[in-house]
Amino acid sequence: MPLASDALRAAFAVLAVLVAGGFVAGVHRSAVAGGASRAEARRTTLRWAAAVAGWMAVTGIAAASGRLRFDTMPPTMMLLVVVVFVASFAIGLSRTGDRLALGLPLALLVGFQVFRLPLELLMHRAYEEGVMPVQMSFSGYNFDILTGVLALPVAALLATGQLPLWVARAWNVMGALLLANVLAIALMSTPTPLRMFHNEPANLWVTQAPFVWLPAVLVPAALIGHVVIFRRLGRERS
């Protein structure tokens, strides 16, 4: 598999850090909005900041050292994927997820998902550099760029009160389905018994740093975001 350019690696790492930072900032703002004292909000924010930084460090080091693989028994990369899915739903449905749903404006929750636009552009660049299979890009079967493109106008109209909530619900369902689609494509592109796309390269780039932060940071951010928005919309009157 060709090596990714330094520019792609740097841009990917910056995006992952920004998204992680945005999540921590959201935790802080929602804690304050929920009535937490300044000291309590600071402690909660620091705990989440430490957890997120620790998770990024552990996954980054594991990838850089070659410990995340699909050909081990059990496949360590698949174990990471399972942990990510379980943790994402757990966080989205947790007290923290509830605080995010209630403490942040709906427009901000939707607008956060704009990060999927630059992410898809970087993934397309990864395809062009030969490190990611075409089907995981918008030149193939990944249309998740629509989620990021539409997030900004949907968020802007929500902020002005000019958008019916059914449109926000439709956008959130669409985004969740498009996320599920690309995740399925990614799994079917891995060198495992699940593989259905046999073109090269296989989906191995996510085992490398910093691209491991796609499944370890960026996918959870998108997934938690959808769960939280569903929770918020469930409390809104149509």
Side-chain angles (χ1 to χ4, degrees):
M1 184 177 69
L3 293 176
S5 66
D6 290 340
L8 177 61
R9 289 178 178 275
F12 207 94
V14 168
L15 180 62
V17 170
L18 289 175
V19 169
F23 172 78
V24 174
V27 168
H28 176 76
R29 179 169 173 175
S30 64
V32 173
S37 66
R38 183 176 299 180
E40 183 181 356
R42 185 185 302 112
R43 286 194 298 270
T44 299
T45 303
L46 288 176
R47 284 196 297 267
W48 274 105
V52 170
W55 174 250
M56 293 186 72
V58 167
T59 53
I61 292 170
S65 62
R67 288 184 170 86
L68 296 178
R69 303 178 61 89
F70 288 107
D71 57 359
T72 56
M73 189 56 64
T76 50
M77 190 63 202
M78 292 301 290
L79 290 177
L80 174 65
V81 170
V82 171
V83 169
V84 163
F85 274 97
V86 172
S88 296
F89 278 104
I91 293 170
L93 297 172
S94 69
R95 182 183 175 187
T96 296
D98 194 56
R99 283 200 301 261
L100 290 168
L102 296 178
L104 298 178
L106 180 57
L108 184 59
L109 293 173
V110 171
F112 177 73
Q113 300 280 357
V114 169
F115 80 85
R116 285 153 79 169
L117 172 57
L119 172 59
E120 291 300 328
L121 295 176
L122 291 177
M123 290 175 68
H124 194 267
R125 178 66 181 180
Y127 149 62
E128 292 180 330
E129 293 189 11
V131 299
M132 187 190 81
V134 62
Q135 62 270 16
M136 289 179 62
S137 75
F138 55 73
S139 288
Y141 304 114
N142 174 12
F143 309 109
D144 194 43
I145 192 170
L146 293 174
T147 307
V149 168
L150 293 176
L152 187 57
V154 170
L157 290 173
L158 282 171
T160 60
Q162 299 178 22
L163 192 76
L165 287 180
W166 70 263
V167 177
R169 291 189 177 96
W171 171 87
N172 202 42
V173 170
M174 179 202 71
L177 291 176
L178 290 177
L179 179 62
N181 173 66
V182 68
L183 292 177
I185 292 170
L187 287 174
M188 290 187 292
S189 301
T190 58
T192 69
L194 298 173
R195 189 172 188 181
M196 295 185 66
F197 294 96
H198 295 280
N199 56 297
E200 296 298 334
N203 181 20
L204 287 168
W205 72 305
V206 293
T207 65
Q208 302 175 4
F211 306 121
V212 68
W213 290 334
L214 173 57
V217 176
L218 299 171
V219 167
L223 184 52
I224 293 168
H226 282 304
V227 173
V228 168
I229 292 171
F230 277 124
R231 296 186 70 177
R232 173 60 175 270
L233 288 171
R235 292 175 167 86
E236 295 281 352
R237 292 182 179 180
S238 301

